[in-house]
Amino acid sequence: MPIRSWRPALLTVIACTTIAQAQSPAGSIHGVVRTSGRRPLAAATVELRNRETGLSRRLETSKGGEYRFSELPPGEYELSVSAVGMKPLNGARVNVVAGQSVQSNLKLDQDNASAVISVVANEDTVATRTAPSQGSLTARSAQSDIRDEFVRQFTAPVVDYTQVVQMAPGMFSYSPNGPGLGDTKTFFRGFSDGDYTMTFDGIPFQDTNSPTHHSWAFFPGMFLGGANVDRSPGSAATLGPTNYGGSINLLSRVLEPEQRISAEASAGSWNTSIYGLEYASGNVGKSNLVVNAHEMKSDGYQTLNTQHRDAMSLKYQYALTDNTQLTAFTDYLDVRAHTPNVKGATRAQIAQFGDNYLLQDTDPKQLNYQAYNIYHVISDFTYLGLNSNLGGGWKLDDKLYSYHYKNMQGYTVAPISATSGTDKLNSYRTTGNIFRLSQESATGTLRTGLWSEIANTNRYQIPTDPRTWVDAVLPNFSESFKTTTLQPFVEYEFNATNDLKVTPGVKYSSYKQDLTQFADNGKTVGNLGGAPYVKHSATYTTVLPSLDVHYLLKKNWSIYAQYATGDEIPPSSVFDVKNANVSVLPSSVKNKTVQVGTVYTSDVMTLSADAYHISFDNAYSTPGPDPVTGLTTYYSNGSSVTQGLEAEGNFVLGGGFNLYGNATFGSAKYSSTGLWVQNAPRDTESLGLYYQQGAWSVGLLGKRVGKMFNDNGAVHEAIAIDPFVIPNLFVNYTAKYLTSWMKQTRFKISVTNLSDKHSLVAVTPASKTTSVAAPGDILTLLPARSVSFSVGFDF
């Protein structure tokens, strides 16, 4: 057929196609743009582009973060979001069907260091917005996200991170001096502090001597904008020194789009007070800033255990370009207390002086007067982050950071003498960098990078005269050491289908310690044969593979399966033996986790559940010198197995009410004996009833911890700890625009341990061979009920 004869037919087809397209009913896209704290993001720029025709539109979100594009021809579109002070987000794909409106809610997930935008239908509902803790449809392991709003409204003013994560499944903690008034530790799945990683905005931090944490001295509750709790070693891209048991990922404050100046004041039990000022710049050109400064004072619940904290933090973000974001954070804390160097009060002391006894001038058996107990901690934490969309699906995230901890402590024992006191120092400066690079394509997402860190530590304990604080010539021990950490990783998330993701990965974990231990008076390494010091080093390396599968059954229902491994290196104290001679250097203890889980969301509920099985090595012990060489030999304490079920859910009851609950049931036992690991409860439960409507926000929540055991060193299950409950109540009222120059006034009543039960939560037995109760047993009790009243003004 001649070409000319095709033309009329071709023109007819084109005309008919054009008419058919013109007559096809249009569609629309709508949704809400929110921050990781689930706050709506106003004045964000949302751009839309048709991938086939190039049709593009642009608009700004409303005060509630809403956006809507109407009258859209059917087809595949890309959404991009930008906002001053936020990370640029590009390439979210949405299919528009003729005559239908598609909901695409956009959320920036700040707990992920690679921070990308994802479109997840039905993840922004009334149920998800009111849940204090919940799983995520995109989570590939057992995780709980805790909202910024929960921190602001349902924790006490002086708290640390422990009350923030208390409501998550399996978590429990206690603070004998009152919430936020001491170095509180948290337990979950049978793992104690030091068995899990803690991060702040994706940056791991730890005590360099052992992988425990001084979170209370770095990040009080006022500095936090929520948290993510991962109860597993995570994937290969999950960085940290002790992913052995999981990770608690603290988040900084969410920057706000509007300017605000706030003044806060709180007064409560035990002469506790806190005064603070906060300035939020809002979006100013390409920058956004929030600054917080506060002072806290308290006598504490325990006798002669006062606290005084001065602290400030600053977070700043600047949009260098449309695709590149700079973030800076810094904080500084100065904490002074009179906490003695004792684990707690004995059974006899509590019986004589009361449940709040710690030190007492009237106790004739103790001369540990308040003046003889000095506890002064200074800390700072700083990072500079660069996040950039490089194009072609490539994204860069880099964080350069440094943190410092300096604990200067002085204490004494009776009778007072020229050497009865101890001058103690624990100081470390850590500097590191986290480099992450990812690339998204049609086949999947590549994630790779490197965590590198150097930490320098100085520690000593020197006999001193507590009346003058003049030190003796020789210390009990003195050492300095450098720890070098390297963790390169790579993982690839395969898009097996649009809904099925398979992610294998591997991480190489390397730690090197170079130690210098100085001669001492014989308490630790001894005189070293007259040498001033001895040097030695230890290197620990492990290959840690991971594999997870994630499947989106429906747009609001996902399931996952995970295999993950973690490790934990021994503390530097393995060399704290005579002449620092160690014949067998311990290797890292390891953890293997297998778990399956599911997450479901709807307009009226959020549900998540998981089943887990964890086999792990226990910590190391030393039985003494080798009979042949005389050198110290270290052995592992064997292995343990933790397994169980976890579930949490939030249910919208209507009328502003919602009910939250979670429960865990499981066991943590030694493989060789079948006895329970200490501080591993058989079950835990949380229950919260919340009312949030209008000016009122009220929460009544409680944590129950089931039966568990404490050891006496040589004997497991030596002491049984009966179940205990910690109920709390929070009432918030916000009055808006009382005057033309005041935006709002906030009133808050906080009550912790509402029932005023002084439950026994831990025991350190006096005897190492028997479990019979003795007067010398050291007891830890819940503090009495504490009440605080707070008022805040926003200008």
Side-chain angles (χ1 to χ4, degrees):
M1 181 183 296
I3 294 178
R4 284 179 294 180
S5 64
W6 292 0
R7 291 176 180 174
L10 181 60
L11 291 174
T12 301
V13 172
I14 292 174
C16 292
T17 303
T18 303
I19 293 172
Q21 287 179 342
Q23 291 177 347
S24 296
S28 64
I29 302 173
H30 72 281
V32 179
V33 178
R34 293 183 180 274
T35 66
S36 62
R38 303 191 183 279
R39 290 186 178 182
L41 187 60
T45 299
V46 183
E47 296 185 59
L48 172 141
R49 186 179 71 87
N50 189 296
R51 289 174 54 81
E52 296 176 356
T53 67
L55 170 70
S56 63
R57 295 184 187 176
R58 176 186 294 187
L59 55 75
E60 287 192 352
T61 56
S62 66
K63 289 185 178 180
E66 297 100 348
Y67 73 93
R68 175 181 288 274
F69 294 101
S70 303
E71 299 299 322
L72 298 176
E76 187 176 15
Y77 290 83
E78 284 188 351
L79 290 171
S80 298
V81 184
S82 61
V84 175
M86 303 298 291
K87 295 179 179 179
L89 308 158
N90 299 283
R93 297 184 182 183
V94 182
N95 287 313
V96 173
V97 180
Q100 295 186 14
S101 180
V102 181
Q103 180 178 356
S104 296
N105 297 315
L106 306 176
K107 183 183 71 173
L108 175 62
D109 193 359
Q110 287 189 336
D111 69 293
N112 185 338
S114 59
V116 297
I117 260 296
S118 59
V119 178
V120 182
N122 284 357
E123 201 167 49
D124 182 68
T125 64
V126 175
T128 59
R129 290 196 299 271
T130 58
S133 172
Q134 62 186 301
S136 170
L137 288 170
T138 59
R140 294 145 49 199
S141 59
Q143 297 185 25
S144 295
D145 291 323
I146 300 166
R147 298 182 301 137
D148 173 79
E149 186 178 3
F150 178 80
V151 182
R152 306 276 77 79
Q153 297 186 344
F154 301 116
T155 62
V158 300
V159 300
D160 55 22
Y161 81 99
T162 55
Q163 197 174 62
V164 173
V165 302
Q166 178 84 280
M167 288 296 287
M171 314 288 291
F172 76 94
S173 62
Y174 43 80
S175 177
N177 199 37
L181 299 177
D183 192 359
T184 311
K185 304 300 183 184
T186 297
F187 304 83
F188 62 93
R189 284 188 174 180
F191 297 115
S192 61
D193 185 45
D195 288 336
Y196 52 80
T197 285
M198 290 196 68
T199 71
F200 181 80
D201 280 356
I203 298 170
F205 63 96
Q206 63 164 335
D207 185 341
T208 52
N209 174 55
S210 66
T212 54
H213 309 97
H214 299 127
S215 310
W216 69 288
F218 282 107
F219 308 112
M222 297 181 74
F223 292 176
L224 300 181
N228 169 273
V229 178
D230 189 340
R231 298 179 298 278
S232 81
S235 71
T238 306
L239 302 175
T242 48
N243 296 346
Y244 178 78
S247 56
I248 297 177
N249 306 298
L250 307 177
L251 304 176
S252 62
R253 297 288 299 277
V254 177
L255 297 180
E256 303 170 16
E258 297 181 0
Q259 186 185 59
R260 170 178 56 82
I261 300 175
S262 298
E264 303 274 351
S266 174
S269 301
W270 319 313
N271 292 321
T272 302
S273 64
I274 187 167
Y275 303 95
L277 287 172
E278 187 168 272
Y279 170 71
S281 69
N283 294 332
V284 180
K286 296 183 178 182
S287 63
N288 199 311
L289 170 74
V290 62
V291 182
N292 178 284
H294 68 264
E295 178 188 51
M296 186 274 291
K297 293 182 179 180
S298 178
D299 290 344
Y301 172 64
Q302 295 173 314
T303 55
L304 300 184
N305 192 6
T306 61
Q307 306 280 320
H308 182 188
R309 181 177 73 214
D310 294 306
M312 65 79 59
S313 71
L314 180 150
K315 182 179 179 180
Y316 175 76
Q317 288 186 339
Y318 182 78
L320 295 172
T321 69
D322 291 341
N323 293 306
T324 303
Q325 176 77 33
L326 184 70
T327 302
F329 175 89
T330 188
D331 74 0
Y332 177 85
L333 283 86
D334 188 311
V335 181
R336 298 175 184 267
H338 287 283
T339 305
N341 196 54
V342 296
K343 293 182 179 180
T346 65
R347 194 182 299 272
Q349 290 167 336
I350 289 176
Q352 181 177 0
F353 298 105
D355 288 354
N356 67 332
Y357 178 84
L358 187 64
L359 291 178
Q360 193 75 35
D361 288 351
T362 57
D363 181 358
K365 296 182 180 180
Q366 288 214 21
L367 293 179
N368 289 343
Y369 301 127
Q370 192 173 34
Y372 292 150
N373 288 279
I374 300 170
Y375 195 83
H376 185 193
V377 177
I378 296 174
S379 71
D380 63 75
F381 193 103
T382 300
Y383 77 79
L384 184 65
L386 182 70
N387 180 272
S388 182
N389 187 334
L390 304 176
W394 289 95
K395 294 183 175 66
L396 168 70
D397 192 295
D398 190 84
K399 286 189 173 76
L400 176 66
Y401 64 90
S402 179
Y403 61 88
H404 179 223
Y405 176 85
K406 187 176 184 180
N407 180 353
M408 299 160 285
Q409 188 175 2
Y411 55 91
T412 190
V413 296
I416 299 296
S417 71
T419 57
S420 63
T422 300
D423 177 9
K424 180 179 178 180
L425 174 72
N426 180 18
S427 177
Y428 51 85
R429 165 64 71 181
T430 300
T431 303
N433 187 79
I434 296 178
F435 171 80
R436 294 178 182 268
L437 187 66
S438 64
Q439 198 266 336
E440 299 178 30
S441 65
T443 58
T445 302
L446 169 70
R447 302 183 187 95
T448 187
L450 172 67
W451 172 37
S452 55
E453 180 182 278
I454 294 178
N456 290 288
T457 303
N458 186 22
R459 303 172 65 240
Y460 61 70
Q461 291 184 19
I462 306 174
T464 190
D465 187 335
R467 298 163 296 189
T468 61
W469 299 113
V470 175
D471 291 348
V473 176
L474 288 176
N476 292 333
F477 86 91
S478 178
E479 66 180 7
S480 63
F481 58 92
K482 180 175 72 173
T483 306
T484 304
T485 302
L486 292 173
Q487 278 191 8
F489 71 91
V490 62
E491 68 177 28
Y492 194 87
E493 183 176 344
F494 288 100
N495 296 336
T497 68
N498 288 337
D499 299 321
L500 177 63
K501 316 291 184 184
V502 181
T503 309
V506 65
K507 174 172 55 185
Y508 179 74
S509 179
S510 172
Y511 306 90
K512 185 175 185 294
Q513 291 182 331
D514 295 291
L515 298 97
T516 300
Q517 292 186 282
F518 297 92
D520 58 40
N521 57 18
K523 186 172 182 180
T524 305
V525 298
N527 63 18
L528 302 177
Y533 56 81
V534 60
K535 289 180 174 290
H536 38 260
S537 64
T539 300
Y540 309 96
T541 60
T542 312
V543 176
L544 301 171
S546 67
L547 175 67
D548 61 73
V549 179
H550 181 276
Y551 184 61
L552 197 64
L553 291 168
K554 296 181 179 180
K555 61 183 180 180
N556 62 335
W557 185 14
S558 66
I559 58 175
Y560 61 83
Q562 179 197 33
Y563 168 78
T565 55
D567 70 335
E568 176 185 330
I569 69 170
S572 64
S573 58
V574 297
F575 288 99
D576 292 346
V577 295
K578 184 178 180 181
N579 296 324
N581 284 329
V582 176
S583 60
V584 178
L585 181 68
S587 60
S588 299
V589 294
K590 299 175 181 64
N591 173 315
K592 296 179 181 179
T593 297
V594 178
Q595 56 186 358
V596 295
T598 184
V599 179
Y600 174 84
T601 68
S602 73
D603 289 338
V604 295
M605 71 174 67
T606 66
L607 289 172
S608 61
D610 63 87
Y612 61 91
H613 177 95
I614 307 170
S615 58
F616 60 95
D617 302 326
N618 301 318
Y620 285 82
S621 66
T622 174
D626 183 281
V628 177
T629 66
L631 302 181
T632 304
T633 303
Y634 284 85
Y635 298 100
S636 173
N637 281 337
S639 62
S640 296
V641 172
T642 291
Q643 55 191 350
L645 302 172
E646 300 170 325
E648 68 176 327
N650 186 57
F651 307 91
V652 178
L653 305 179
F657 287 94
N658 67 286
L659 181 69
Y660 169 82
N662 68 49
T664 65
F665 301 94
S667 66
K669 296 182 179 181
Y670 297 102
S671 301
S672 59
T673 63
L675 298 177
W676 282 75
V677 175
Q678 68 172 345
N679 294 314
R682 297 181 176 181
D683 62 281
T684 67
E685 296 81 26
S686 297
L687 188 64
L689 179 64
Y690 298 88
Y691 175 78
Q692 294 173 277
Q693 189 158 294
W696 291 94
S697 182
V698 181
L700 176 62
L701 51 150
K703 187 79 178 190
R704 179 187 178 275
V705 180
K707 184 178 180 179
M708 59 183 175
F709 296 94
N710 282 175
D711 299 343
N712 68 0
V715 180
H716 301 305
E717 293 189 15
I719 304 292
I721 307 296
D722 292 330
F724 59 91
V725 179
I726 309 174
N728 301 322
L729 173 66
F730 303 96
V731 180
N732 300 268
Y733 177 79
T734 302
K736 295 187 176 181
Y737 299 103
L738 295 181
T739 67
S740 60
W741 47 272
M742 186 181 297
K743 293 182 179 180
Q744 63 181 16
T745 303
R746 302 179 305 279
F747 302 94
K748 180 177 182 178
I749 297 175
S750 306
V751 185
T752 60
N753 193 7
L754 183 64
S755 60
D756 199 26
K757 297 288 187 180
H758 301 201
S759 303
L760 178 68
V761 295
V763 178
T764 303
S767 171
K768 301 301 181 183
T769 59
T770 178
S771 59
V772 178
D777 295 343
I778 297 174
L779 309 184
T780 302
L781 308 176
L782 285 180
R785 178 195 301 121
S786 64
V787 181
S788 67
F789 176 77
S790 307
V791 60
F793 305 95
D794 287 357
F795 305 96

